Amino acid sequence: MLKRRNIKSHGELPQRAPKLWVGKEMTMATRQEVLGLYRRVFRLARKWQAASGQMEDTIREKQYILNEARTLFQKNKNLTDRDLIKQCIDECTARIEIGLHYQIPYPRPVSATPVNRFICLQWALRHYKAGDFEPRRN
């Protein structure tokens, strides 16, 4: 026979544990949503296949997904403002959807003005000439 512990004098069951944070801060539902996203990212990394089909690209991209997720979730674990948490959740969801759609795990550049493209091209040429940069061949 099971015994009930922590029963109040009127015979009612104890209340559930309080929510994680109250007010403008994280609720238990938000916490579950964040943990669900974390699990979703790790499942995605487990099943990820590089668009090139090469095993070394797949391994590199899987490792990038795992490291990026750990870093960002660790960095944002102490957020308490509901709006900031919602913004991070939306960003994570968008990155997942973009990654699945375009089959690339890397974040999409925010803006690519002609100046930015020129600077990136200069960087690539400088490192390619120095032997530090190997262009990707498909």
Side-chain angles (χ1 to χ4, degrees), residues 28-131:
M28 192 59 90
T30 308
R31 183 175 190 273
Q32 292 302 318
E33 187 177 2
V34 170
L35 292 174
L37 275 174
Y38 194 70
R39 285 189 299 269
R40 184 176 175 197
V41 169
F42 274 76
R43 273 188 244 118
L44 174 74
R46 194 177 331 127
K47 297 176 184 176
W48 186 263
Q49 290 293 320
S52 67
Q54 296 180 2
M55 184 56 93
E56 54 272 357
D57 289 342
T58 298
I59 292 170
R60 187 180 319 114
E61 290 178 4
K62 282 182 177 188
Q63 196 60 45
Y64 172 80
I65 292 169
L66 295 173
N67 290 339
E68 184 77 359
R70 284 187 189 112
T71 301
L72 290 175
F73 277 88
Q74 189 73 21
K75 178 182 132 194
N76 296 322
K77 75 176 184 177
N78 294 322
L79 288 181
T80 56
D81 183 26
R82 185 178 291 166
D83 295 332
L84 286 175
I85 294 169
K86 180 68 176 143
Q87 184 179 357
C88 289
I89 290 171
D90 292 342
E91 179 185 340
C92 181
T93 305
R95 284 187 68 175
I96 290 170
E97 295 303 320
I98 288 170
L100 289 172
H101 179 76
Y102 292 106
Q103 295 182 337
I104 55 168
Y106 309 107
R108 191 171 178 184
V110 176
S111 64
T113 62
V115 173
N116 289 350
R117 281 186 247 145
F118 180 72
I119 291 171
C120 289
L121 181 61
Q122 281 183 328
W123 179 88
L125 287 174
R126 186 171 53 244
H127 287 282
Y128 180 70
K129 287 177 183 175

Side-chain angles (χ1 to χ4, degrees), residues 1-52:
M1 179 173 255
L2 298 173
K3 295 181 181 180
R4 291 188 177 187
R5 297 183 198 187
N6 299 326
I7 297 178
K8 295 184 178 182
S9 60
H10 299 292
E12 53 199 51
L13 295 173
Q15 294 181 351
R16 291 179 166 216
K19 291 184 177 181
L20 189 60
W21 293 311
V22 182
K24 251 187 119 177
E25 294 140 354
M26 188 180 247
T27 64
M28 192 59 90
T30 308
R31 183 175 190 273
Q32 292 302 318
E33 187 177 2
V34 170
L35 292 174
L37 275 174
Y38 194 70
R39 285 189 299 269
R40 184 176 175 197
V41 169
F42 274 76
R43 273 188 244 118
L44 174 74
R46 194 177 331 127
K47 297 176 184 176
W48 186 263
Q49 290 293 320
S52 67

